[in-house]
């Protein structure tokens, strides 16, 4: 058996040698070099810019279905650039084309103009050329099919609300003196621009400043007194929970509660901490877990409800389970109830080092399982007693990748070239069921479960392992140079990184800080959306409350149902022995190379349509289309 397995591996790990170039199936020729190309995730339309035109390509018919020229968006105005020193900086940094997630729209910067295009029809919904200002920031509001635009006109900064149905500005409100746009790039990354519509009010966090507008008139109700990085509306409609970082180079965060009427703080003082970890709104009280403590606060007064914090320094994760809370402080975990009382006799050590990553922590049946950078084990949920006498010891310097097997309610885990099965029913730690020789271990980014076994994959490697521990296939490729890896986003969307249901990326990455809502008895009112969803789930979330998607609902459903199939393939950008750069499509089921396409330029621009698996590749004055193989 070993000889057979070895010969299979030897055959499949041979590097790419010479092979016949697969000719494109169809081609769209252009008069000028194609400068940029994106695909809208909702309509599927491939939008590209060449010369002074922008065109839309139907992914099904492979035909250009609309074209926009200078007559549609106006010519460049040298005066705009010369009179404002920031103007050139902004347009130099902007991509020519950007697709807007959860919408049929693509934004374009062309001839120094900002344009929004409905990709379904090719209609220019908005064109800044008719305005006396220029757009520096745009934020789409899917719930109402509107845009908030940040404008700079002379020395003022204004916010405008754009109605996408009419292409007209509903209002335009000056909010501040314009700052140097160059300074915005140095803002903390946490200061994400976020717009939320709540009844007749729009809340807008822009470059750290929180604004409240009357949605109908555009009247500025108030501007926050401090800089904030996050904000959350409470369920009583009277308050906003805000988090802010204390300066660019500070490691401190502050949490406070504002009055929605005037934007002023209702607490005497903020909660000061290194990091806010978890938030829950219980109506009249606020559960706040942060680096230095874990407690309920009276929402109106800010007074602590518990007499003592659940834990001191080092709290870094909280997981709600019914009305209990499983949390990690430093390198230990504890279970407490809603009154802050410990449900276990002692803390459970889950790692050697407080800085070790937590790859999984949660309830599995009546047990709690943990996977960290150093340990793996299970604990009885009621008693807090470890079920296995010995931890599985992981090599902390090597990746730990878990995936869940729903049929057996167990986890498969990779570490240090070994695969383990964590079955809640076993009485002691499991031995590895497979030992594998991964070539690019530190680049592994996905572990996926199939009926026959497990697939491990990374940017230039993919391996299939049967559940009996034998290697089904193993392919490795040479990595192209940095200049040849400009756009791996397409491969990520449809390949090993993106759509796998059991992808380890989803397990490892923590969701962004959100606030959970409960009633006064502690029952969950609104399920919080996870931060790491697949493209399909993410799009469904957008669609549920998006007025913008009504016009493309049928197309939306068909496209995103079709995306399921892409879990079965890896797209690997590799270098052949001849030096040619090649995009290889690999079946995860059997490791067969289904397709190979040579890229002739050093910085390839391409899109892989997740629904059809067709590949759109920019080659100088053309877009080459390679149909699914």
């Amino acid at each position: 058996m070993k000889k057979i397995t070895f010969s299979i591996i030897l055959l499949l790990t041979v590097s790419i040698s010479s092979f016949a170039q697969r000719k494109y199936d169809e081609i769209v020729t252009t008069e000028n070099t194609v400068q940029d190309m994106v695909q809208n995730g909702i309509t599927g339309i491939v939008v590209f810019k060449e010369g002074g035109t922008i065109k839309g390509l139907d992914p099904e018919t492979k035909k250009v279905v609309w074209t926009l020229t200078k007559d549609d968006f106006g010519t460049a105005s040298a005066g705009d650039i010369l009179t404002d020193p920031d103007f050139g900086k902004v347009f130099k940094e902007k991509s020519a084309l950007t697709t807007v997630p959860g919408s049929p729209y693509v934004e374009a910067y062309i001839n120094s103009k900002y344009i929004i295009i409905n990709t379904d029809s090719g209609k220019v919904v908005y064109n800044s050329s008719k305005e006396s200002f220029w757009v520096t920031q745009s934020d789409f509001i899917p719930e109402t099919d509107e845009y908030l635009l940040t404008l700079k006109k002379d020395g003022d900064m204004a916010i405008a609300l754009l109605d996408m149905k009419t292409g007209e500005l509903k209002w335009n409100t000056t909010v501040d003196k314009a700052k140097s746009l160059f300074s915005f790039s140095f803002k903390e990354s946490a200061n994400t621009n976020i717009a939320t519509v709540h009844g007749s009010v729009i809340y807008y966090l822009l470059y750290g400043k929180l604004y409240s507008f009357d949605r109908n008139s555009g009247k500025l109700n108030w501007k926050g007194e401090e800089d904030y990085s996050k904000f959350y509306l409470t369920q009583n409609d009277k308050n906003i929970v805000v988090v802010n970082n204390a300066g660019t180079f500070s490691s401190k965060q502050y949490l406070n509660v504002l009055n929605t009427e005037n934007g002023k703080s209702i607490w005497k003082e903020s909660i000061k901490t290194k990091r806010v970890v978890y938030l829950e709104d219980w109506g009249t009280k606020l559960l706040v877990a942060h680096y230095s403590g874990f407690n309920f606060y009276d929402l109106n007064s800010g007074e602590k409800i518990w007499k003592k914090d659940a834990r001191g320094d080092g709290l870094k994760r909280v997981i709600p389970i019914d009305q209990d809370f499983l949390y990690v402080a430093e390198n230990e975990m504890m279970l407490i109830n809603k009154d802050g009382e410990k449900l276990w006799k002692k803390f459970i050590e889950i790692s050697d080092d407080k800085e070790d990553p937590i790859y999984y922590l949660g309830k599995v049946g009546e047990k709690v399982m943990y996977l960290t950078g150093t340990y793996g084990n299970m604990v009885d949920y009621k008693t807090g007693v470890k079920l296995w006498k010995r931890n599985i010891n992981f090599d902390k310097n090597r990746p730990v990748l878990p995936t869940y097997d729903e049929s057996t309610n167990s986890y498969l885990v990779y570490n240090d070239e070994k695969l383990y099965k964590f079955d809640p029913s076993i009485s002691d730690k499991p031995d590895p069921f497979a030992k594998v020789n991964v070539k690019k271990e530190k680049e592994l980014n996905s572990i996926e479960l199939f009926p026959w076994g497990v697939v491990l994959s990374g940017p230039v490697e993919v391996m299939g392992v049967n559940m009996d521990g034998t290697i089904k296939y193993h392919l490795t490729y040479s990595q192209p140079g940095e200049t040849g890896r400009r756009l791996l986003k397409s491969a990520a969307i449809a390949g090993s990184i993106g759509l796998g249901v059991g992808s380890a990326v989803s397990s490892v990455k923590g969701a962004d800080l959100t606030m959970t809502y409960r009633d006064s008895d502690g029952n969950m009112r609104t399920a919080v959306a996870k931060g790491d969803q697949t493209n399909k789930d993410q799009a469904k979330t957008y669609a549920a409350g998006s007025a913008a998607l009504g016009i493309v609902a049928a197309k939306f459903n068909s496209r995103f149902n079709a995306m399921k199939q892409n879990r079965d393939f890896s797209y690997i950008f590799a270098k052949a022995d001849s030096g040619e750069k090649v995009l290889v499509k690999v079946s995860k089921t059997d490791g067969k190379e289904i397709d190979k396409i040579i890229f002739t330029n050093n910085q390839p621009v391409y899109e892989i349509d997740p629904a059809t698996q067709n590949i759109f590749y920019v080659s100088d004055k053309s877009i080459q289309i390679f149909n699914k193989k």
Side-chain angles (χ1 to χ4, degrees), residues 59-296:
E60 309 289 341
T61 64
K62 325 295 195 323
K63 304 295 183 183
V64 173
V65 289
W66 50 260
T67 300
L68 300 174
T69 68
K70 63 181 181 181
D71 294 332
D72 298 291
F73 36 70
T75 57
S77 172
D80 289 337
I81 300 173
L82 295 175
T83 57
D84 198 315
D86 286 326
F87 191 94
K89 294 175 186 176
V90 168
F91 278 84
K92 188 176 181 180
E93 293 175 358
K94 295 282 188 181
S95 297
L97 299 171
T98 304
T99 189
V100 182
S103 85
Y105 306 122
V106 160
E107 297 177 356
Y109 283 86
I110 185 169
N111 293 344
S112 303
K113 306 302 178 187
Y114 168 74
I115 297 163
I116 304 175
I117 304 166
N118 186 329
T119 59
D120 191 50
S121 61
K123 178 184 177 182
V124 174
V125 184
Y126 178 74
N127 187 342
S128 70
S129 64
K130 62 183 178 181
E131 312 289 2
S132 59
F133 50 75
W134 49 282
V135 178
T136 66
Q137 173 73 31
S138 58
D139 294 279
F140 177 56
I141 307 175
E143 301 93 330
T144 56
D145 196 15
E146 295 172 320
Y147 254 89
L148 279 173
L149 303 178
T150 304
L151 318 172
K152 188 178 181 186
K153 182 179 180 181
D154 300 326
D156 292 328
M157 185 172 78
I159 307 298
L161 185 67
L162 172 64
D163 186 341
M164 299 299 286
K165 296 178 183 64
T166 64
E168 299 296 327
L169 296 182
K170 289 186 175 181
W171 45 259
N172 180 347
T173 303
T174 298
V175 295
D176 212 336
K177 288 294 181 183
K179 303 174 183 177
S180 170
L181 295 174
F182 183 69
S183 67
F184 288 158
S185 61
F186 293 100
K187 282 285 184 181
E188 302 208 31
S189 59
N191 288 339
T192 304
N193 299 330
I194 299 170
T196 297
V197 176
H198 189 70
S200 61
V201 180
I202 293 179
Y203 297 99
Y204 193 22
L205 181 64
L206 177 68
Y207 299 122
K209 292 297 183 184
L210 182 60
Y211 302 96
S212 169
F213 296 98
D214 183 289
R215 182 174 169 235
N216 296 316
S217 67
K219 176 187 174 184
L220 178 61
N221 298 322
W222 50 263
K223 182 176 77 170
E225 297 175 346
E226 306 284 344
D227 281 2
Y228 305 117
S229 56
K230 302 285 181 184
F231 76 98
Y232 310 92
L233 299 178
T234 58
Q235 56 187 304
N236 64 9
D237 292 335
K238 297 178 180 179
N239 303 114
I240 300 176
V241 178
V242 290
V243 177
N244 68 318
N245 299 331
T248 304
F249 301 104
S250 174
S251 60
K252 297 290 185 182
Q253 282 189 332
Y254 293 86
L255 181 141
N256 211 326
V257 178
L258 309 182
N259 185 322
T260 55
E261 293 295 322
N262 55 28
K264 295 185 181 298
S265 170
I266 65 170
W267 286 6
K268 292 181 180 179
E269 58 183 12
S270 302
I271 297 174
K272 181 179 178 181
T273 180
K274 286 186 177 181
R275 183 176 65 254
V276 179
V277 177
Y278 183 76
L279 296 171
E280 282 191 358
D281 175 5
W282 288 54
T284 59
K285 54 187 178 179
L286 191 67
L287 181 81
V288 181
H290 56 92
Y291 188 84
S292 302
F294 186 15
N295 214 312
F296 270 110

Side-chain angles (χ1 to χ4, degrees), residues 10 20 59 107 112 121 132 187 208 223 233 335 381 408 411 459-460 486 491 525 527 604 611:
L10 190 64
E107 297 177 356
S112 303
S121 61
S132 59
K187 282 285 184 181
K223 182 176 77 170
L233 299 178
L335 184 70
Y381 181 77
T408 60
Y411 279 78
V460 291
R486 174 175 164 253
R525 291 187 55 161

Side-chain angles (χ1 to χ4, degrees), residues 547-598:
L549 296 182
I551 58 172
V552 289
K555 192 177 295 186
F556 163 81
N557 288 332
S558 63
R559 287 194 62 77
F560 281 89
N561 286 334
M563 282 176 64
K564 294 177 183 178
Q565 62 186 308
N566 290 289
R567 178 177 179 258
D568 295 332
F569 306 102
S570 280
Y571 291 84
I572 296 175
F573 191 30
K575 183 174 70 175
D577 291 344
S578 61
E580 294 169 309
K581 297 173 180 64
V582 185
L583 186 68
V584 186
K585 180 179 180 180
V586 177
S587 168
K588 292 182 182 178
T589 300
D590 52 23
K592 291 182 179 178
E593 294 180 345
I594 297 173
D595 199 5
K596 297 176 183 177
I597 297 171
I598 295 178

